[in-house]
Amino acid sequence: MGELTVMHDDDHRYRTDGYVRRVQVWDRALTVKQMGKASGCVRPKEANVCPKSSLYKVSKRRVSYSSRIYGSHRRRHGGRLGSHESWVADYRRVDKGSEWMQVDLSKKREVAGLALQRHWRHGWQVTSLRVYVSNDGKKWIPVECGRRFKTPYSHSRSKKRYVAFEKPVVARYVRLAPASFRGLPAMRAQLKVCSPRANKKKSKSKGMPKVDKKRKGKGKGKGKGK
């Protein structure tokens, strides 16, 4: 394995949104699992791409928050999609990644993404976020290796911004952690869950016509009488 340093700028003289600092090269092809291990990325359990998904309505008692400010604690449904209140996180803690909105799906489900709205009254909005999942509410795994999912700013308070994962993740608990925002880190959000898959098993009797014994008997009798 070799190492190569590229685009390295210690004194930050050049304005860049990001750069590659180190590239590792192998003399063989790695599997997805091996590459994840080499890069320190542990992915949660993933499902196949679901053909159909829908916004999942969850009870307000199953939604919790790291903190709430500016009166967003007055109503428990503050962060729910379409509500007349929004969750407003503590902007001083967003950079540390310690602010989150947590949803309990009551059991393991296949989560395909989410939908987000800005603050219902003001122009505040979370413009990017990270997603974490867990099955026990204690051990959290970042979705897609901690990728920042962008949610472009919307001038409409009712317009939804959708986020889709590469593959649905299987989990019971989901945390949405704001990474950047406009004005204040405010949002209303709801998860998209895969619809139950249809049972592909066919019954043995399917395709065989049903025979009415009574009619069959009557038909024979009429034929004899003639």
Side-chain angles (χ1 to χ4, degrees):
M1 180 181 70
E3 294 186 1
L4 175 67
T5 303
V6 296
M7 297 176 65
H8 185 56
D9 182 21
D10 284 329
D11 55 0
H12 303 285
R13 290 178 299 173
Y14 303 102
R15 181 181 177 86
T16 57
D17 293 330
Y19 57 85
V20 178
R21 189 162 190 167
R22 189 179 66 173
V23 176
Q24 293 183 339
V25 182
W26 285 264
D27 58 356
R28 65 187 184 281
L30 299 182
T31 64
V32 175
K33 189 175 182 180
Q34 289 173 333
M35 183 59 73
K37 186 177 180 180
S39 60
C41 169
V42 178
R43 297 176 73 103
K45 184 180 178 181
E46 296 175 335
N48 295 325
V49 178
C50 54
K52 193 175 182 182
S53 62
S54 59
L55 292 172
Y56 184 78
K57 292 183 179 180
V58 65
S59 170
K60 60 185 179 183
R61 295 181 179 179
R62 295 189 177 276
V63 183
S64 57
Y65 311 92
S66 55
S67 65
R68 286 174 282 192
I69 61 174
Y70 295 107
S72 61
H73 63 282
R74 294 176 184 173
R75 298 183 182 182
R76 290 185 178 180
H77 63 283
R80 301 177 72 191
L81 205 68
S83 67
H84 291 286
E85 280 290 333
S86 304
W87 173 54
V88 184
D90 188 342
Y91 66 92
R92 295 164 296 186
R93 300 172 58 188
V94 168
D95 291 338
K96 300 177 182 178
S98 55
E99 288 295 281
W100 44 260
M101 170 182 174
Q102 180 176 310
V103 180
D104 179 2
L105 296 171
S106 72
K107 66 177 184 179
K108 293 181 183 179
R109 300 182 189 273
E110 296 178 0
V111 184
L114 61 104
L116 180 144
Q117 289 175 318
R118 64 167 231 196
H119 193 279
W120 77 284
R121 176 181 290 178
H122 304 290
W124 307 334
Q125 182 187 314
V126 170
T127 53
S128 70
L129 50 81
R130 291 184 175 89
V131 184
Y132 300 85
V133 294
S134 173
N135 290 325
D136 57 6
K138 297 177 181 179
K139 184 180 179 181
W140 296 90
I141 303 175
V143 175
E144 295 184 24
C145 302
R147 172 185 171 187
R148 282 178 60 167
F149 296 97
K150 294 182 179 180
T151 52
Y153 180 75
S154 174
H155 292 279
S156 171
R157 65 183 179 183
S158 59
K159 188 172 183 178
K160 301 179 184 70
R161 294 295 189 185
Y162 291 94
V163 168
F165 303 152
E166 289 179 354
K167 287 185 177 181
V169 293
V170 181
R172 172 177 174 175
Y173 301 94
V174 181
R175 275 186 180 180
L176 310 178
S180 63
F181 55 91
R182 178 168 175 173
L184 285 174
M187 69 176 181
R188 294 171 289 165
Q190 200 165 333
L191 300 175
K192 290 191 72 176
V193 174
C194 295
S195 303
R197 289 176 171 80
N199 190 1
K200 295 182 180 179
K201 293 182 180 179
K202 296 181 179 180
S203 59
K204 294 181 180 179
S205 61
K206 192 173 181 180
M208 298 177 63
K210 293 182 179 180
V211 179
D212 191 339
K213 292 182 180 180
K214 291 183 179 180
R215 288 187 178 181
K216 188 176 180 182
K218 287 180 180 179
K220 284 183 178 180
K222 287 181 180 179
K224 287 180 179 180
K226 287 180 181 179

